[in-house]
Amino acid sequence: MANKKISELTAKGTALADTDLVEISESDGAGGYVTKSVTGANVKSGLQATLVSGTNISTINNANILNGGDLDVQATLVSATNIKTINSNTILGSGDLVIGSGPHILTKPVSGRTYSVRTDSSSSSSSAVSAANTIYLCAFVPANSLTISNLQINVASLAAGASARILVYSDLNGVPTTKLIESTTLDCSTTGAKTYTTSYTFTAGTTYWLGVYTNNASFFMSTISSANTIPISTNAFSTAYTSVTASATFAAAPSTLGTATLATGAMYVINLTAA
């Protein structure tokens, strides 16, 4: 092979065999080269293996991605655009989705309308005083998700220096636990609706506890009859428990409620305004 150009050598004419020898110049790491040989098997071992669909290259939805042309794939899912929601809740993402059910807000909320723990359309309502430094809470389980713009109580009869705060607690195994909302102090020395502006979303099928506490036992707030709320336990085969109470010094409602006592009787109305 001495004194011959590569172009002058006889062509092999067939594919490289594993036993063929190929001359190479290997770097010696010092700027020079050493002449060595490699086999055809050495050369082929460094090449990309032939792709076999489903074996060493994946498929998409069982479709072969080899060969030319476009492959149809699932479009990016956009909630409420090309995939439906459930009770206005997206079903995209990880985790469990709670399917909404509950006795409150049985129709889709309408912006500007108010909602509460009331479970029927009867007009039974009144007003009552509350014990100072006592939290009153009633269960609220919306069947539809609700984003609010404010919460309200109504003072039916004033008292000088009277104040109140609206509260929302989460539920754990049937009892109120973690404080989610505490309003600013609402002046109850005049009559009428007292509003706390805030944004919050109540999720369908989730139990919440709505309530209020005050610094004064001399003013009256609007209430709804216990018959208009849901029972949370029974009371010796007669009346039902419809709310719970807990002691708390105004105005410092605990972040975790702690011990709550079952209660009967009317519940103070907490109105939720849909955003």
Side-chain angles (χ1 to χ4, degrees):
M1 192 173 74
N3 300 319
K4 279 192 175 185
K5 297 179 180 179
I6 292 177
S7 60
E8 296 174 337
L9 297 176
T10 303
K12 175 175 171 63
T14 58
L16 185 67
D18 289 347
T19 55
D20 288 344
L21 293 177
V22 179
E23 183 181 2
I24 66 167
S25 294
E26 182 182 56
S27 173
D28 62 7
Y33 292 89
V34 178
T35 300
K36 291 186 178 180
S37 67
V38 295
T39 66
N42 294 147
V43 175
K44 291 190 288 184
S45 67
L47 300 178
Q48 167 69 56
T50 301
L51 296 177
V52 179
S53 182
T55 300
N56 59 357
I57 186 169
S58 298
T59 60
I60 297 179
N61 295 334
N62 295 319
N64 183 356
I65 64 172
L66 300 177
N67 302 320
D70 290 329
L71 181 66
D72 290 332
V73 296
Q74 169 68 55
T76 300
L77 296 177
V78 179
S79 183
T81 299
N82 59 357
I83 186 169
K84 294 183 182 296
T85 58
I86 297 178
N87 292 336
S88 300
N89 295 309
T90 179
I91 63 174
L92 300 177
S94 61
D96 185 42
L97 180 65
V98 177
I99 304 301
S101 61
H104 306 116
I105 314 185
L106 299 180
T107 58
K108 188 175 180 64
V110 176
S111 177
R113 293 183 182 177
T114 57
Y115 303 87
S116 71
V117 298
R118 183 184 292 276
T119 57
D120 62 25
S121 57
S122 66
S123 60
S124 175
S125 64
S126 185
S127 62
V129 296
S130 66
N133 301 312
T134 300
I135 293 174
Y136 296 84
L137 296 169
C138 188
F140 174 67
V141 191
N144 286 274
S145 292
L146 169 68
T147 298
I148 63 168
S149 59
N150 63 61
L151 304 96
Q152 297 177 325
I153 57 173
N154 185 66
V155 176
S157 178
L158 62 86
S163 297
R165 287 193 172 192
I166 300 171
L167 299 170
V168 178
Y169 278 82
S170 66
D171 175 89
L172 180 63
N173 299 324
V175 295
T177 52
T178 303
K179 183 172 64 179
L180 302 176
I181 298 174
E182 180 173 5
S183 76
T184 54
T185 298
L186 303 174
D187 180 9
C188 298
S189 62
T190 58
T191 58
K194 308 302 176 182
T195 301
Y196 173 61
T197 300
T198 189
S199 177
Y200 187 83
T201 298
F202 294 87
T203 302
T206 301
T207 300
Y208 301 89
W209 294 83
L210 308 184
V212 67
Y213 74 135
T214 73
N215 70 338
N216 189 300
S218 300
F219 74 101
F220 286 72
M221 290 182 290
S222 294
T223 63
I224 57 175
S225 166
S226 59
N228 303 135
T229 61
I230 60 172
I232 58 175
S233 182
T234 56
N235 176 16
F237 300 99
S238 54
T239 58
Y241 293 110
T242 55
S243 60
V244 297
T245 63
S247 297
T249 301
F250 191 88
S255 297
T256 301
L257 187 66
T259 302
T261 302
L262 290 167
T264 60
M267 180 59 195
Y268 302 102
V269 179
I270 312 296
N271 271 351
L272 309 173
T273 305

